[in-house]
Amino acid sequence: MGELARATGVTVRALHHYDQLGLVSPGERTASGHRRYTAADVRRLYRVRGLRQLGLSLPEIAVVLDHGGADPAALRQLLDAQLRQVRVQIERANRLEIHLTELVAQLDAEDVPRPDQFLTTLETMSMYERYFSQDQRDRLAERRAALGTEAVDAARAEMSTLIEEAIRHQRAGTPVDDPAVRDLVGRWTGLGALLGTDGAREQASAGRLWDDHREEISRRMPWPAEDFLAAVEYLRAARGAGRAV
Amino acid sequence: MGELARATGVTVRALHHYDQLGLVSPGERTASGHRRYTAADVRRLYRVRGLRQLGLSLPEIAVVLDHGGADPAALRQLLDAQLRQVRVQIERANRLEIHLTELVAQLDAEDVPRPDQFLTTLETMSMYERYFSQDQRDRLAERRAALGTEAVDAARAEMSTLIEEAIRHQRAGTPVDDPAVRDLVGRWTGLGALLGTDGAREQASAGRLWDDHREEISRRMPWPAEDFLAAVEYLRAARGAGRAV
DNA sequence: GCTTGATCCTGACGTAGCGGCAGGTCATAG
DNA sequence: CTATGACCTGCCGCTACGTCAGGATCAAGC
């Protein structure tokens, strides 16, 4: 038994497991109950090993070995499904790799490592991922990549000044249909168009995100939370007023 | 609570689980025992979500959240380890994808689909993978790819005629130091050199494989098993004799 | 105040593929 | 006859929850 285990690279415990499932059972037993594997059993065991390396589950393997010989189409279908699954897995793993690489780079780029800020970034990203689909996130990332780091940083800076102006106007009580505010809204939507958040679906997602989490988001901004919140509401109202006209 | 669950995309059951592990526990409870999550708890929950998406385990996340804030180096190390693990996973998945693709192609290429032969191929491959390391297999696959399909098929054909000649000589009792047999051995080692199996480690691996499984291998060949076995032993003896001289 | 439907609670079992251990039996060499 | 492997049959453990079961609580309408 240990002999078979060594020859096949399967542990004795796994052999017991396969026996229990009826996947590979010894053809006979000695009087004392010890398992005796026949040559056919050994072949079957090798097949199990081969199919396991394809990532199939033990029940799937059982089906292939017991009925697969008669049904090539089913076998092909199973392999196809497995292949699709592996490709999905590869895609996910690649995305994760990119994500991790970026995070490590960000961590290294910080002059004074602030793990807390890192965690806050993660927090925000995980919120953001709840509201934008994989597709949308892919497109947005592509867009940013196409623009390049400089352009994205510039857009970010523009967004900052824009927010600050909005805060001032909101505090001053400038009416939302004032030309200056109209101009602000124009620059705001322009930034959205640049970054690719101007689609109907992206707007809807961002709207839901804001509706559900306006306080949390505002609290994480480099401005006083209530100022930021009020400014964004002000801009949205102004955009709404602009549309209504 | 269901509210929190909906807002964060975490199930109620997961919240219970996190509470049980002490990963995210509600700051307080109502008199009746219902969980009340504070704003700090919610932030912590978002961080857990973010770290989970990096593929970290719950115990790892607990460490990061409880002590990671004070130790940026440990955090970096953890992310590095995770990144390495993901890369290994990507490599494995890619190899599996190639393997599956080849198998599906092979299945499709058969004029008469013979699932049984397919399983036998798998069997053989799983045996072969036990004796050649990942490194060796990669190098051999690279070598075959560099040679191209035609050259590999030609080598295979040459190997077939070589085996048949060896069978004839062995049956005829030609001595192993006969010039004709010397020539056979020369062509044999030449094929090995072509396919990249001429390294010391590859020879050793192949030797162990043959020693452990000569009967099984022989039985799978398109010649009578005992003829094939005898022919290979004959060639090995001839090679040994040639070396001794 | 009472009912009702939604929400919440605490256990407890199930998952995939074995790993590992405990306590006992069998086989073989000395 | 015994010492030492190799083998046997249970049974618990692992991840990160899903999925009941059975009961308590809550908010709202009557």
Side-chain angles (χ1 to χ4, degrees), chain A residues 170-190:
Chain A
Q170 188 269 332
R171 277 191 179 157
T174 315
V176 293
D177 53 357
D178 186 282
V181 180
R182 287 266 171 83
D183 178 55
L184 272 187
V185 171
R187 283 157 58 201
W188 190 32
T189 57

Side-chain angles (χ1 to χ4, degrees), chain A residues 120 123-124 127 210 212-230 232, chain B residues 38-44 46-47:
Chain A
T120 304
E123 235 174 272
T124 311
M127 247 171 54
W210 177 251
D212 292 353
H213 299 284
R214 61 190 81 197
E215 288 86 3
E216 284 131 292
I217 295 171
S218 300
R219 225 172 297 128
R220 289 198 186 91
M221 290 296 162
W223 300 279
E226 62 269 34
D227 287 353
F228 181 82
L229 201 157
V232 173
Chain B
T38 68
D41 296 334
V42 176
R43 280 197 73 159
R44 193 175 163 94
Y46 274 110
R47 294 182 171 200

Side-chain angles (χ1 to χ4, degrees), chain B residues 24-239:
Chain B
V24 181
S25 293
E28 49 173 351
R29 297 258 191 154
T30 65
S32 59
H34 288 194
R35 294 173 175 81
R36 297 200 75 101
Y37 289 89
T38 68
D41 296 334
V42 176
R43 280 197 73 159
R44 193 175 163 94
L45 181 54
Y46 274 110
R47 294 182 171 200
V48 168
R49 264 186 53 91
L51 291 165
R52 278 250 59 199
Q53 284 176 350
L54 301 183
L56 299 182
S57 72
L58 298 186
E60 283 169 338
I61 292 175
V63 170
V64 170
L65 290 183
D66 293 338
H67 311 295
D71 193 350
L75 178 56
R76 234 218 84 127
Q77 209 172 345
L78 180 61
L79 290 184
D80 256 9
Q82 185 65 17
L83 190 51
R84 275 196 300 276
Q85 203 177 323
V86 169
R87 286 186 176 143
V88 167
Q89 193 184 325
I90 289 176
E91 240 185 293
R92 265 211 305 262
N94 277 325
R95 267 202 297 272
L96 181 51
E97 200 259 358
I98 292 172
H99 192 166
L100 274 167
T101 306
E102 284 174 359
L103 286 173
V104 169
Q106 184 199 323
L107 208 56
D108 285 346
E110 287 176 18
D111 28 348
V112 178
R114 289 280 314 139
D116 206 57
Q117 198 214 313
F118 167 81
L119 289 174
T120 304
T121 303
L122 263 184
E123 233 174 273
T124 310
M125 294 193 66
S126 105
M127 247 171 54
Y128 154 83
E129 288 177 0
R130 279 272 297 150
Y131 288 86
F132 292 87
S133 73
Q134 186 60 55
D135 251 36
Q136 293 177 325
R137 279 177 281 158
D138 282 354
R139 273 201 298 276
L140 293 178
E142 226 172 276
R143 189 59 165 269
R144 286 197 302 272
L147 288 172
T149 318
E150 281 182 45
V152 172
D153 281 349
R156 215 165 275 168
E158 159 90 357
M159 186 66 88
S160 284
T161 67
L162 204 153
I163 291 288
E164 276 159 25
E165 288 179 48
I167 290 176
R168 274 201 300 280
H169 281 295
Q170 187 269 331
R171 276 191 179 156
T174 314
V176 293
D177 55 356
D178 187 281
V181 181
R182 287 264 170 84
D183 177 55
L184 273 187
V185 171
R187 283 158 57 202
W188 190 32
T189 57
L191 279 175
L194 183 70
L195 295 171
T197 59
D198 54 332
R201 285 223 287 283
E202 284 73 18
Q203 291 252 352
S205 300
R208 275 197 303 276
L209 173 57
W210 177 253
D211 287 343
D212 292 352
H213 300 283
R214 62 189 81 196
E215 287 87 3
E216 285 130 292
I217 296 171
S218 300
R219 226 174 294 129
R220 290 198 185 90
M221 290 296 162
W223 300 278
E226 62 269 33
D227 286 354
F228 180 82
L229 200 158
V232 173
E233 294 292 359
Y234 180 73
L235 281 173
R236 295 184 92 196
R239 187 176 58 189

